[in-house]
Amino acid sequence: MDALTLQTAASGAPVTAVAGTFALFALFLSLTAHIAARNVLGDVEVKKAFAVGPVPAAIAVVFTTFGWNSFLALLLAVVLDFVLVRYLYGQATRLSAYIVLIHFVVTIILGTIVFGLLVLLSSAPV
C-alpha cells in the first residue's frame, strides 16, 4: 500500500490528510530550525524559522506521496535548508552549514522523542 492509500483509509479525505501532514511537519521543522539557529546564533527572530520549515516539509510530503527516492529527497531538503538559512540569517557558508547540521541533529533527536512518546501513549491500556 502506498502512503496516499493509507492516509485515505485513515481519514477519508486524502487532500485533508496530506495538508495536515504537511502543516504539522512544517511546524515541527520550523520549531527545530529555530532551536538550531538560537543554539548557534543566540537571539534570533522566530519568523525566519517559519520560512525555513515549510520547504523541507514540502519536499518530504511530495517525495513520499509520489514514492520517489527518499535519499534524493533528504539531499534536496538539506541543500535547500542550507540555502534558506544562508539567505535568511545572512551568515557565512561555514556558519550556515553548522546551523543546518544542528537543525538536522535536533530534528532527529526531537522527532525520536516525540515519536517514542506517541507510540508509548498509543499502546497504553484504556
Side-chain angles (χ1 to χ4, degrees), residues 80-120:
L80 288 178
D81 195 24
F82 171 78
V83 169
L84 283 169
V85 165
R86 182 158 162 71
Y87 174 73
L88 291 171
Y89 293 101
Q91 300 299 320
T93 303
R94 283 184 140 187
L95 193 56
S96 296
Y98 184 61
I99 293 169
V100 171
L101 175 68
I102 297 299
H103 183 204
F104 188 78
V105 170
V106 168
T107 301
I108 291 173
I109 292 171
L110 194 58
T112 303
I113 291 169
V114 170
F115 180 75
L117 286 173
L118 287 174
V119 168
L120 191 62

Side-chain angles (χ1 to χ4, degrees), residues 30-126:
S30 295
L31 172 70
T32 58
H34 181 67
I35 290 170
R38 190 170 172 106
N39 183 14
V40 175
L41 300 174
D43 195 23
V44 293
E45 296 180 56
V46 177
K47 66 181 179 180
K48 291 181 181 179
F50 282 116
V52 173
V55 174
I59 292 169
V61 168
V62 168
F63 273 67
T64 301
T65 300
F66 293 112
W68 295 340
N69 189 340
S70 58
F71 292 110
L72 182 61
L74 181 62
L75 179 65
L76 184 63
V78 169
V79 167
L80 288 178
D81 195 24
F82 171 78
V83 169
L84 283 169
V85 165
R86 182 158 162 71
Y87 174 73
L88 291 171
Y89 293 101
Q91 300 299 320
T93 303
R94 283 184 140 187
L95 193 56
S96 296
Y98 184 61
I99 293 169
V100 171
L101 175 68
I102 297 299
H103 183 204
F104 188 78
V105 170
V106 168
T107 301
I108 291 173
I109 292 171
L110 194 58
T112 303
I113 291 169
V114 170
F115 180 75
L117 286 173
L118 287 174
V119 168
L120 191 62
L121 289 174
S122 69
S123 66
V126 178

Side-chain angles (χ1 to χ4, degrees), residues 3-21:
L4 191 57
T5 305
L6 290 175
Q7 289 179 349
T8 303
S11 69
V15 175
T16 306
V18 172
T21 300

